[in-house]
Amino acid sequence: MRASLLFAALAPAVSIASTCEPSFFAPYLTSNVSIVYARTFTSTETFEGPMGNYTGLPEYCALYVNVSSSTTSAYEFGLWLPTRTWNKRYMAYGNGGFTGQVAFADMAPGLNYGFAVVSTNTGHNSSVQEAGDAGWALNNPETRTDWGWRALHGSVALGRVLTEAFYDNNIEYSYYAGCSTGGRQGLKEVQMFPDDFDGVLAGACAWWTSHQQNWDLKVALDNLPNNASHHVTAELMDVLATEVLRQCDVQDGVKDNIIMDGYACQFRLEALLCSSPRTNTSTCFSADQLDTIHRVYGDWIDTNQTFIFPSFT
């Protein structure tokens, strides 16, 4: 009895996997879209991605899609569709820095939970090592638009169509998760396309890019030169982190090594001040060094009290 029920449950999945080929998805594509590949990966096969290899995943249909977004730009996205254990949910993942790669490393855990998962390269290809390189954006306004919002929204919208076609069923809930640039992508989705997702997890949002990049430079310059009395070393940043956790952890009422609300913490920098000039400076801060940290924790206010960018929390 149980064996027959199990076979009945698996039988449709086998037929679904057999449809994982470009010809099945072709009727759902517009003229500016092409499928680079569509093939089934079994649980014993390894997916070789640009940032790592992924194995031991449940059987899934893997698609890679190219979309011409203008006459001078294009973006790509990956879509993984579990063939046996779909939970009727759809999960999109964001990117980090200026990296132009599909976030396969995030898609793999999502697939394990039974989600249909999607991610885009944001309109250009680059490596994690090139996450801070925005050279691709120079004199390429259409590619900047892809990175800003068009690649994610377009990938999510078309990915949804292909997902529902593959399962011949509606998606019940759609979600998004991303951090840093991924956090900004999440905010932009909520702002421009609020119907794309039922829930958005936007972490450490790297927003207001034109101001943030200048702020990054300012924070670095505030700590230079390395031989100055105000310079804070990497080792002292560890000392700072330990003190922040000591002061702020308990302020949410639970000591668990987690700071729930950084803005709610009334952090006292003076607790890090060396008691005398002869104190071991590897375990405390001079007054000049604390002034550097104060600037990092303070909003960037420029000429005529002009607000430029908010501080670290």
Side-chain angles (χ1 to χ4, degrees):
M1 178 67 175
R2 289 183 179 177
S4 62
L5 287 175
L6 178 62
F7 177 79
L10 292 179
V14 173
S15 62
I16 288 176
S18 67
T19 63
C20 183
E21 54 185 31
S23 60
F24 174 83
F25 297 101
Y28 303 97
L29 307 180
T30 52
S31 59
N32 65 319
V33 181
S34 62
I35 292 182
V36 179
Y37 63 76
R39 57 153 294 193
T40 299
F41 282 81
T42 67
S43 59
T44 60
E45 290 183 277
T46 298
F47 181 91
E48 297 181 359
M51 292 186 287
N53 299 331
Y54 309 97
T55 190
L57 298 173
E59 184 182 273
Y60 61 101
C61 174
L63 288 84
Y64 200 80
V65 181
N66 179 281
V67 180
S68 295
S69 51
S70 76
T71 57
T72 59
S73 63
Y75 60 85
E76 300 168 343
F77 68 89
L79 177 67
W80 288 358
L81 305 169
T83 59
R84 297 176 183 271
T85 55
W86 184 44
N87 60 14
K88 295 188 178 181
R89 285 160 169 76
Y90 182 61
M91 189 79 168
Y93 293 97
N95 308 86
F98 294 123
T99 301
Q101 284 191 10
V102 170
F104 292 116
D106 295 319
M107 291 168 60
L111 187 73
N112 273 318
Y113 282 109
F115 288 94
V117 290
V118 65
S119 178
T120 176
N121 75 336
T122 72
H124 69 280
N125 291 312
S126 63
S127 67
V128 174
Q129 290 73 26
E130 299 168 317
D133 183 2
W136 52 267
L138 184 63
N139 299 323
N140 289 305
E142 293 291 348
T143 304
R144 292 199 299 271
T145 298
D146 282 343
W147 182 82
W149 62 268
R150 185 166 56 193
L152 178 61
H153 172 66
S155 299
V156 168
L158 179 55
R160 177 180 288 109
V161 171
L162 299 178
T163 298
E164 294 187 336
F166 184 69
Y167 295 114
D168 193 22
N169 208 336
N170 294 330
I171 296 167
E172 291 186 351
Y173 295 99
S174 297
Y175 303 107
Y176 172 84
C179 186
S180 193
T181 285
R184 178 198 59 77
Q185 289 172 299
L187 293 183
K188 194 67 172 175
E189 276 286 310
V190 170
Q191 182 185 50
M192 293 184 67
F193 308 103
D195 293 331
D196 273 4
F197 301 110
D198 298 293
V200 167
L201 179 62
C205 308
W207 65 294
W208 207 5
T209 305
S210 60
H211 286 221
Q212 185 200 7
Q213 300 309 312
N214 294 320
W215 176 82
D216 285 343
L217 177 61
K218 172 192 175 293
V219 169
L221 292 175
D222 281 344
N223 200 34
L224 292 176
N226 290 347
N227 60 355
S229 61
H230 66 266
H231 179 70
V232 178
T233 65
E235 290 75 18
L236 277 176
M237 291 303 294
D238 290 337
V239 174
L240 172 65
T242 298
E243 181 62 22
V244 169
L245 188 63
R246 187 188 72 81
Q247 290 190 34
C248 299
D249 177 18
V250 297
Q251 293 198 20
D252 60 10
V254 180
K255 184 175 176 57
D256 55 3
N257 291 327
I258 298 173
I259 299 171
M260 293 299 296
D261 185 357
Y263 288 106
C265 177
Q266 302 300 312
F267 182 62
R268 297 182 300 103
L269 274 176
E270 61 270 21
L272 290 165
L273 183 63
C274 296
S275 58
S276 75
R278 293 185 298 275
T279 305
N280 184 349
T281 55
S282 66
T283 58
C284 60
F285 288 66
S286 69
D288 288 345
Q289 289 170 326
L290 282 186
D291 185 58
T292 298
I293 299 301
H294 177 76
R295 289 196 296 274
V296 170
Y297 280 138
D299 293 338
W300 181 9
I301 308 297
D302 214 300
T303 307
N304 298 324
Q305 295 300 299
T306 303
F307 175 80
I308 306 298
F309 202 74
S311 68
F312 274 123
T313 309

